[in-house]
């Protein structure tokens, strides 16, 4: 809105009207605005969610609170501290058990659906500062609304109907698959989505390596780490079987569509699994958002794209604006979600975060970098699949289910002391690690992986 207004004002030579032409200026304004919105509206949304929970009894209140009322965040913390202070100091083991029980009680009384804060803090700055005629911006807004609505429906069923299962899994998958199909179709059909492949060749006269810019085309190329020239065309898969021309390009788009469906589904579900500790999903997502913002800036700049020998994607720099809103929204939400959390994002937030990251990577043709960049999401989902598969296998073979980890997803493994759960392959660490320390360590790992992702641009 403001971008188009400032464009109009340029014809009247209004001072400062050209500032909106600078992507860095707009990104800075967007980040600050998103952060401000998240912090300002967060408190009021939390109060409304508490009243809503109070009226409906909350997701878990039937089992844990005889009064059926939400205890305020401050009261819950005071309750924990009062009980612990009145206990015998010598009985540390009992004190730890009581602390865990009270902490579990506090979490059960913390309202969910806080992802609404993130969604509003993303959408408002994008609508105000972004180019609303840019196909990349429109796709990201669509992905935010789509995944946010899917998660909201899941949370609403859990809370309003006291059904811990929420939205049936098959309907979640249908929604995620639908978004993947829409993204692939738009990328295939839109004439505005093109790319230019940079190739590094040796100049026969000088003997130096030079970057050659290919014409802008609509193709199915993507970035693959650790290989020469970084790029791979999905149409080559068809060419391996002797199929060429339009048929090969068509098969390439079908492969890309299938991968888009898988990426959207996998990353959104992985983010959902990661949202198990206060501040974990929001803090790691902020790191991913920063990394994706840098990628979008590099990919949308022909000079930087040539230097790094990555694909130049015209107009994709507008994704920097969306990423800035994404960063501000997650950091602003962390204001309330850091330990001890005043609100949980719920599926409204976690499915939305994962969907945004997946679609963003697809638009930049960087989907194969996600296992490195989103390593925490990847390990969380993998640990859950390994745990479930191994338990079912040993249950079928021996009659007694065994576990790889003390609990899955993997972040819960570190919360449980050794020996607390039997038939577990890995009992270390011996002592439980505090929740906030686990979150900080996972955050540090995310930062390291983000740096390694950029290192792959120059490793081939």
């Amino acid at each position: 809105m403001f971008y188009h207004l400032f464009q109009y004002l340029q014809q009247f030579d209004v001072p400062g009207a050209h500032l909106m032409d600078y992507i860095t200026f707009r990104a800075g304004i967007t980040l600050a605005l998103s952060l401000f919105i998240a912090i300002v509206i967060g408190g009021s949304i939390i109060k409304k969610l508490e009243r809503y929970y109070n009226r409906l009894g909350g997701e878990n209140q039937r089992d844990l609170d005889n009064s059926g009322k939400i205890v305020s965040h401050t009261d819950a913390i005071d309750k924990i501290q009062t009980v612990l202070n009145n206990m015998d100091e010598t009985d540390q083991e009992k004190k730890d058990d009581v602390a865990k029980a009270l902490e579990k009680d506090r979490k059960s009384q913390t309202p969910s659906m806080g992802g609404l804060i993130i969604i509003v803090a993303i959408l408002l700055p994008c609508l105000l500062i972004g180019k609303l005629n840019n196909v990349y911006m429109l796709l990201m807004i669509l992905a935010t609304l789509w995944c946010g609505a899917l998660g909201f429906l899941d949370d609403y069923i859990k809370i309003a109907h006291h059904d811990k299962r929420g939205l049936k899994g098959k309907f979640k998958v249908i929604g995620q698959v639908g978004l993947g199909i829409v993204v692939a179709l738009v990328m295939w059909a839109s004439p505005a989505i093109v790319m230019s492949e940079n190739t590094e060749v040796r100049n026969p006269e000088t003997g130096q390596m030079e970057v050659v810019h290919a014409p802008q085309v609509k193709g199915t190329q993507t970035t693959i780490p650790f290989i020469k020239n970084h790029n791979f065309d999905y149409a080559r898969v068809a060419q391996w079987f002797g199929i060429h021309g339009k048929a090969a390009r068509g098969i390439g788009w079908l492969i890309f569509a299938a991968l888009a469906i898988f990426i959207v589904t996998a990353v959104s579900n992985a983010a959902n699994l990661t949202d198990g500790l206060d501040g974990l999903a929001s803090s790691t997502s902020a790191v991913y958002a920063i990394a994706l913002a840098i990628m979008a800036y590099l990919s949308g700049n022909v000079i930087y794209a040539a230097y790094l020998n990555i694909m130049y994607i015209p107009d994709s720099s507008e994704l920097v604006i969306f990423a800035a809103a994404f960063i501000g929204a997650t950091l602003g939400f962390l204001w309330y979600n850091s330990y001890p959390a005043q609100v949980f994002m719920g599926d409204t937030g976690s499915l939305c975060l994962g969907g945004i990251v997946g679609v963003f990577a697809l638009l930049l043709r960087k989907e194969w970098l996600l296992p490195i960049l989103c390593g925490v999401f990847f390990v969380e989902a993998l640990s859950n699949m390994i745990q479930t598969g191994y338990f079912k296998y040993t249950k079928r073979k021996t009659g007694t289910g065994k576990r790889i980890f003390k609990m899955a997803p993997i972040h819960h493994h570190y919360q449980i002391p050794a020996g607390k759960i039997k038939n577990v392959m890995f009992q270390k660490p011996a002592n439980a690690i505090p929740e906030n320390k686990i979150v900080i360590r996972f955050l540090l790992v995310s930062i390291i992986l983000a740096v390694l992702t950029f290192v792959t641009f120059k490793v081939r």
Side-chain angles (χ1 to χ4, degrees), residues 263 294 327:
I263 291 293
I294 296 172
I327 296 167

Side-chain angles (χ1 to χ4, degrees), residues 1 95 103 265 278 293 304 331 336 350 357 395 408 433 439:
M1 182 185 296
K95 195 171 184 178
E103 176 67 8
T265 305
D278 295 354
Y304 293 141
L331 292 178
Y336 299 102
S350 60
V357 171
K395 180 79 171 178
I433 300 176
V439 172

Side-chain angles (χ1 to χ4, degrees), residues 12 18 21 28 49 63 77 85 129 142 146 180 206 215 221 238 240 243 254 271 303 324 352 372 376 403 445 448:
F12 302 107
H18 288 278
D21 291 337
L49 289 173
D63 302 324
I77 298 300
N85 289 339
I129 310 296
L142 173 65
W146 191 302
T206 64
Q221 288 87 343
W240 293 342
I243 304 173
L254 288 176
I303 297 175
C352 183
I372 304 174
V376 170
R403 296 172 172 83
V445 170
I448 294 170

Side-chain angles (χ1 to χ4, degrees), residues 118 122 140 143-144 147-148 176 179 260-275 281-282 284-285 288 292 322 326 330 345-362 370 374 377:
I118 297 174
I122 288 176
M140 291 310 306
T144 304
C147 292
Q176 292 162 339
L179 178 59
I261 292 169
F262 174 78
I263 291 293
V264 171
T265 305
V267 180
S268 57
N269 286 328
N272 185 244
L273 290 171
T274 305
D275 182 33
S282 51
T284 52
S285 294
Y288 305 152
L292 290 171
F322 183 89
F326 189 22
T330 50
M345 66 174 65
D347 285 9
T348 306
S350 60
L351 291 180
C352 183
L353 293 181
I356 287 172
V357 171
V359 173
F360 204 111
L362 288 166
L370 286 178
C374 301
F377 282 5

